[in-house]
Amino acid sequence: MEGIFAIAVGLIMCESDAPSRQLTIANVNSIRRQVSNAMYTRAGFTKVIFRGKQFKLKTKGSQPDYVPDFVTVTLKVSLKEGEVSSAYGKKYYDNTKESVIQKLIGQVVTSSTRYKKDLRKAQDDYLLNNKPEKVDIVIVADGVGGELSGGDLKGDVAVNIEINGKPVMNRNLNYSLKAGTTPSKTISNESPFKSMTRINQIFGLGIDTSKYAFLDGQARTPKEKFEKVKYTTMFYNEVIDRLVESFAAGTGSKKAWEFLKKAAFGKDYAQVVSIGTSATYESSMDYINALEKRYPTLTAKKVGDNVKFFIQEINKPLFQVRFKNRSKITGPEEASISELKMMIETEKVFKQPSNWDPQEGNIGV
């Protein structure tokens, strides 16, 4: 969906009152069909999907009332072949998940979302200023490069705009994409060691992580896997216990907000767009900042093996930390591991209202 979302965003940036490509299911699929194997390289697949005049009309008629701009819209997509290749190229429709993908594309095309409003606002900045300008728009989906950031950069799709050769800085056009049959509530999914080390650092828990450093390596033999499960669980329990204690001492709220923002939006302040087959959820740094300003105090409670963070003033959950432990003890000091992950999952309050406006601050709760 990263590549498909990039195509959709590109088609949105093609649209104006001038004749051009439109955001439709047929146009998304047409560009999917043209994708070459270059997409699976670091350099990526590059395609100009629009080059020509764009303008807006004040009134009905064929002549523009605003000064036209000369606009070029380019896609640049680099994704991992093993994960996505069946969804692109001339035979994309043979993909086993195509029925779900078509529903997701339909949701992208028809949904009324904040990210579409932001894209159209960015267009209006150059289409409505009565200046003839050369505008270059590059939509970048760099799944390969994003993985190399170690989780610090969350953006999957970014829109870069240059006007007369000068970059326009707009952090609102950077998106962290989630997709599934239902909108995903997971904003972070990484190794327990990395995630717990980050929690220890942000909350200042004072745990000596050097004794767990070997957990960052691979476990190959049944005995190594047994040790990994055993000490990962010990590390997790130590982190969780001290984390809850820090809230009891009244020192956790500000750090919890910081932790959530880093996990969700990263250093690049990517907006979260979670697409399902019948709904799209969004959230942003601006919205979470407004939520924190209104309700600064959080509490942390251990719920089963997880820790859930609540907004104290309204007693509503905001997010939780969950240890996904799919391992099995197979013998004396032997184990098999299907999955060991640390999940950071959001609750309903994390989702910004569909009519969210940073100027109004209408957080909805």
Side-chain angles (χ1 to χ4, degrees), residues 36-163:
S36 70
N37 288 337
M39 187 170 77
Y40 314 122
T41 66
R42 189 68 184 88
F45 167 75
T46 301
K47 180 178 178 60
V48 175
I49 60 173
F50 178 81
R51 180 180 284 126
K53 289 183 178 180
Q54 287 189 353
F55 54 79
K56 288 290 184 78
L57 297 175
K58 288 182 182 178
T59 57
K60 293 182 179 179
S62 59
Q63 296 300 313
D65 287 330
Y66 291 104
V67 177
D69 296 287
F70 189 84
V71 179
T72 302
V73 180
T74 305
L75 284 175
K76 188 172 182 180
V77 184
S78 175
L79 302 174
K80 294 177 70 174
E81 181 175 8
E83 297 178 2
V84 307
S85 60
S86 63
Y88 295 91
K90 293 180 179 179
K91 294 187 177 181
Y92 73 84
Y93 46 80
D94 286 337
N95 177 13
T96 57
K97 297 181 180 179
E98 186 58 29
S99 61
V100 175
I101 291 175
Q102 285 300 316
K103 291 178 182 176
L104 292 170
I105 293 173
Q107 174 62 204
V108 171
V109 170
T110 61
S111 60
S112 176
T113 53
R114 181 73 206 179
Y115 73 81
K116 288 183 180 178
K117 294 177 183 177
D118 289 338
L119 290 168
R120 301 199 190 285
K121 182 179 183 301
Q123 282 184 307
D124 287 346
D125 286 345
Y126 55 82
L127 289 179
L128 302 183
N129 65 2
N130 281 321
K131 296 178 182 178
E133 295 169 316
K134 181 178 180 294
V135 182
D136 292 290
I137 303 166
V138 181
I139 293 89
V140 180
D142 187 5
V144 177
E147 290 191 358
L148 299 177
S149 74
D152 291 334
L153 302 179
K154 295 293 182 177
D156 298 306
V157 176
V159 180
N160 300 323
I161 301 175
E162 288 188 359
I163 297 178

Side-chain angles (χ1 to χ4, degrees), residues 13-44:
M13 301 307 286
C14 291
E15 295 179 347
S16 73
D17 290 335
S20 66
R21 278 177 158 163
Q22 305 289 308
L23 175 59
T24 66
I25 293 174
N27 280 339
V28 171
N29 288 332
S30 175
I31 296 174
R32 285 173 70 197
R33 189 179 291 111
Q34 299 170 47
V35 168
S36 70
N37 288 337
M39 187 170 77
Y40 314 122
T41 66
R42 189 68 184 88

Side-chain angles (χ1 to χ4, degrees), residues 129-256:
N129 65 2
N130 281 321
K131 296 178 182 178
E133 295 169 316
K134 181 178 180 294
V135 182
D136 292 290
I137 303 166
V138 181
I139 293 89
V140 180
D142 187 5
V144 177
E147 290 191 358
L148 299 177
S149 74
D152 291 334
L153 302 179
K154 295 293 182 177
D156 298 306
V157 176
V159 180
N160 300 323
I161 301 175
E162 288 188 359
I163 297 178
N164 296 330
K166 295 182 179 180
V168 176
M169 301 303 295
N170 192 333
R171 77 180 193 185
N172 291 330
L173 305 183
N174 187 24
Y175 305 102
S176 173
L177 192 68
K178 324 289 178 186
T181 305
T182 57
S184 174
K185 62 182 182 179
T186 303
I187 56 172
S188 180
N189 177 4
E190 60 183 1
S191 79
F193 176 78
K194 288 182 179 179
S195 188
M196 290 186 291
T197 298
R198 184 175 290 116
I199 292 173
N200 182 51
Q201 291 172 342
I202 291 177
F203 287 88
L205 301 181
I207 297 172
D208 179 10
T209 59
S210 63
K211 60 186 177 183
Y212 298 113
F214 73 95
L215 295 174
D216 199 27
Q218 291 188 341
R220 294 182 173 85
T221 68
K223 181 174 176 57
E224 288 174 344
K225 291 176 182 179
F226 178 86
E227 295 291 306
K228 186 151 193 167
V229 173
K230 175 182 176 181
Y231 285 97
T232 297
T233 303
M234 287 175 58
F235 190 13
Y236 176 74
N237 288 334
E238 187 174 1
V239 166
I240 294 309
D241 288 344
R242 293 205 188 185
L243 182 59
V244 174
E245 288 172 4
S246 74
F247 277 82
T251 60
S253 290
K254 190 172 182 59
K255 294 172 181 176

